[in-house]
Amino acid sequence: MDDSIYTLKRYNKKKKKRSYKLLYLIIIVLSLLICFKKDNTLKDKFKQNFNFAKFNKLYESIFGEFLPEISSNEQEVFNEKLEYKDPKKYKEGVKLSVKNNYLVPVQESGLVVFIGKKEGYGNTIIVQQVNGVDLWYGNINNSNVKLYDYIEKGEILGDTLNNDLYLVYKKEGSTVNYEEYIKS
């Protein structure tokens, strides 16, 4: 068999699989929307209990990754790591000393599930990360994200109001030790 015909058949097979994955995803979303339209209390419960990380793992275990890995010559423009000094325990998390108006990088990819004020933390953004941990970023001044945005690790979340950054790590509603996620 000619290599170009074999390659074309493989490409068509992958394209067909991707189409089925998209169809399954549309069916799931439409089913949820129909259920929400019939019962508003179900919609509220879903909003409160939805766990992006679990849904993502379930979807990938059943259907695989939606988008294929694409290799290209593109390079990342921005992929920062957290730079800080003097971590101190603060309420449920940690208070980090950072540069004034520090541009805060996203620690792990995930879904923005909260933007607003939290007592003791100021302007706060909560990201439900793909690893199942909810990370609170406190004292954020200018945010680059909107509610329900999917953000990638290393992107800029926003900047700090001054030289303090508050982080709280929670898994399944319980606070976890920040030292497991950041190096002192």
Side-chain angles (χ1 to χ4, degrees), residues 112-129:
V112 177
V113 294
F114 177 86
I115 298 176
K117 291 196 181 289
K118 291 277 188 184
E119 190 174 328
Y121 298 103
N123 292 331
T124 303
I125 297 172
I126 300 176
V127 177
Q128 195 174 73
Q129 302 176 141

Side-chain angles (χ1 to χ4, degrees), residues 76 78-81 105-110 150-156:
E76 291 180 2
F78 198 87
N79 189 4
E80 288 295 311
K81 298 201 180 343
V106 174
Q107 295 301 293
E108 185 66 50
S109 301
Y150 180 80
I151 53 179
E152 295 284 339
K153 179 178 181 176
E155 289 181 13
I156 291 296

